[in-house]
Amino acid sequence: MEVPKKIESKQLENLNQRIEDILLKEPQTEIECVAFIENANIIVKDAQALNLEGTKEVLRLQGYIAFIYCDLGKYDITEKKIYDILGAIRQQKLEHLEARCSLLLSAIYFEQGKFDETIKIGTKGIELYLKLKKPQNLAALFNNVAGAYLELGHYERALSFYYQALENSKQYGDATILGTISYNIIHCLLLQKRYDIVEKEFERFKRRIADNDQDKNMLVWLYISYCEFYYKTTNTKKTLEYAEKLRVLSKETKGHLHIVYAAWHNARIKNKLKFHKEAFVFALRILEYSLKSKSITKKLLAYLAIGSILCDDAENQDYYWKQSRLLDEFEGETIRVLKKAERLVEELNFTDKKIYVYNLLEKFYVQNKDFEKAYVYSVKTRQIEAYIYDIEKNDLVFRLQEEFNVQENQRKIDFQEQLLVHQKEINASLEFFAYRASHDMREPLKNIYSFAKILQNEREQVGEEDYKEILGFIIDCSNRLLVLTKDLLEYSRLGRIVSSTKIVPLKNIIQAVKSNLSEQINEVNAILKLEEEMPMIYVHESLLIQLFQNLISNALKFRNKDIQTIIEVSFFQEKDTVTYFVKDNGIGIEENKLKRIFEPFARLHHRKAYEGSGIGLTSCQKIVEQYGGQIWAESTIEKGSSFYFTFPNNQEEKTNENINCK
Ligand code: ADP
């Protein structure tokens, strides 16, 4: 039956009045929230019965219900409720409401550790608010997106978003999150180890607090920043002082996040000072709060705090396990806590916190004398460091390109100059990375140390056989160290090209490689197939020799021992590029590992099966990228692998030009 127009408008008016009434008083306590949801749901149902559910007011109410669910920590329901109405909101172009939903979703995705989603929905929200010219919530959105970038290891990008968040919160007088953002900036700078800027940021932060009448919410964040800064710069006394200040103040402000941070910093510093039991009380507090707020991010903090204490005070295990029922799931085993943290960081890609977790695992395995496993984690740490470094590098280039687009005038000259400067910086820090990594190879050293200690202290008890075996271990470890340091050194030298570019026939390069590897080639009686005609290339000869030598020696190393080893070196030309390849009929590589093998220190086999450091292919990649090319592998297990790399075709042109000039 059609509802007459007059009645319909009366009903609509009535409904709108009810919505206005219910939205008048914001529910505060949990009971009020639950009651609000119940009443609001009745109104929504009534609206549906009257066929009026798509109106702006009803959608607003539904949005509000979702927001309240979020306050209650029921993220799944919040998400579902928002997605239920998002279609209608978009259809009716209720952009303000859509923007608020984006803000909320970005916040809950962040708490759940869904960082890619946070960035996606947050960026959309930013666009909407900018378009609406209603900038009140922009700061929070910029802050959420920045947070997600930070957790993914994009520090440079995170920082740029944090500064935008700061600008907005200052400009529009949004002091509530001004403190959070100021802290986040310092946190990010500390992760980047940019201590010189950190000091200036502290000054600015203090001025902001003064401008805001010493706002306590801001003060809490200043104390958190101090705790972190002093902890990183190993000033124990100051860390302790601020952790205590923080504890007291967070009791006053009662902010959930404040309390969690206070507990985290207190747990960390007390544990360091060996007041493990006191630390544990704080660690448990984090766990309780994380469960209350259903925040995965905080849960991870809790596992890290608990895991550190359990590792550092292993003798008192039993005491800790009895402290709370919340620990029952770990069945009294430290490793279960650490493994849970590991799963979280890996599944959700908490990039920076991976380092923290791997360090803990390494420590745990060293304590348990499982050096093999400890070594795996020390390598993983270095891989993450390299990965973060890589992101930084790409972000730098990304930022440069952005600037490049804006500065239309003089763009060419400016860009090239800047790129050159940054390239130098990149090379310098790459060398630094290799330098550090080589100093970081503590694992084999630790092993040597432990074995030597056994010989020193327990010489009497060690029989002749064991003695020989231990010496064997020491020699093994030393050998490994020698190989690693040699490879790293070569890798670090790649940045400093000593020879100059010249035109060389590819044939000569392969000839040089053949002669360098003649011993290995003859030993296995391998066949090296080459093209009759090989091109000339414009390169640094020594780099290209190294590139081919790494690939061919890998082909020899990973050969199929049951058949005749055949290695083919060839190339094909396309419009813009020349692709060279080294193909073997060796053991092959699993499809899903084909990308990983180019990462520093990545190796697919046990050391006992194949010697190596995992730097060879990383070096190849670096060489190829210096010429603006790409490198990749294709492979079938047990059939063989092919390594391809491209050089831009202008290499060829240059070659021809030069030949013509001759
Ligand atoms: P490594 O020093 O271990 O040889 P690389 O960086 O050269 O280090 O290679 C990384 C890993 O990639 C190797 O440990 C090996 O597992 C795999 N790999 C490289 N080349 C080949 C190949 N031709 N066939 C099969 N596996 C290979």
Side-chain angles (χ1 to χ4, degrees), residues 554 557-558 584 589 597 602-605 612-614 616-617 641 643:
N554 273 351
K557 179 157 60 165
F558 300 104
D584 64 46
I589 303 162
I597 50 174
R603 309 183 54 246
L604 307 181
H605 306 277
S613 58
L617 289 177
S641 315
F643 284 82

Side-chain angles (χ1 to χ4, degrees), residues 275-286:
F275 299 133
H276 305 298
K277 288 183 181 157
E278 272 181 56
F280 205 72
V281 177
F282 287 108
L284 281 180
R285 188 169 300 163
I286 309 176

Side-chain angles (χ1 to χ4, degrees), residues 483 487 550-559 582-584 586-590 593 596-605 610-620 635 640-643:
V483 174
D487 286 0
N550 283 351
L551 295 178
I552 294 174
S553 66
N554 273 351
L556 289 165
K557 179 157 60 165
F558 300 104
R559 70 184 181 280
V582 175
K583 185 173 176 191
D584 64 46
I587 59 171
I589 303 162
E590 282 173 58
K593 311 239 164 86
R596 224 182 73 202
I597 50 174
F598 293 97
E599 292 171 8
F601 309 106
R603 309 183 54 246
L604 307 181
H605 306 277
Y610 295 98
E611 277 291 339
S613 58
I615 306 281
L617 289 177
T618 316
S619 303
C620 291
S635 184
S641 315
S642 303
F643 284 82

Side-chain angles (χ1 to χ4, degrees), residues 376-420:
V376 169
Y377 284 105
S378 86
V379 169
K380 275 187 167 202
T381 307
R382 287 200 297 280
Q383 282 174 350
I384 293 294
E385 280 171 353
Y387 171 71
I388 291 179
Y389 165 75
D390 227 38
I391 294 180
E392 289 279 88
K393 183 182 75 176
N394 290 338
D395 281 357
L396 257 173
V397 174
F398 173 82
R399 211 180 63 194
L400 271 179
Q401 277 166 347
E402 295 262 288
E403 282 167 20
F404 168 83
N405 289 337
V406 181
Q407 296 165 0
E408 206 57 54
N409 299 340
Q410 274 230 327
R411 61 192 269 192
K412 221 165 186 170
I413 315 158
D414 279 351
F415 179 68
Q416 274 166 359
E417 272 175 7
Q418 289 184 43
L419 203 59
L420 209 69

Side-chain angles (χ1 to χ4, degrees), residues 152-175:
L152 292 172
H154 286 270
Y155 303 149
E156 196 59 35
R157 228 177 265 197
L159 209 55
S160 109
F161 275 87
Y162 280 135
Y163 279 120
Q164 296 191 63
L166 189 68
E167 267 320 298
N168 272 288
S169 60
K170 275 199 303 205
Q171 217 167 329
Y172 305 106
D174 188 355

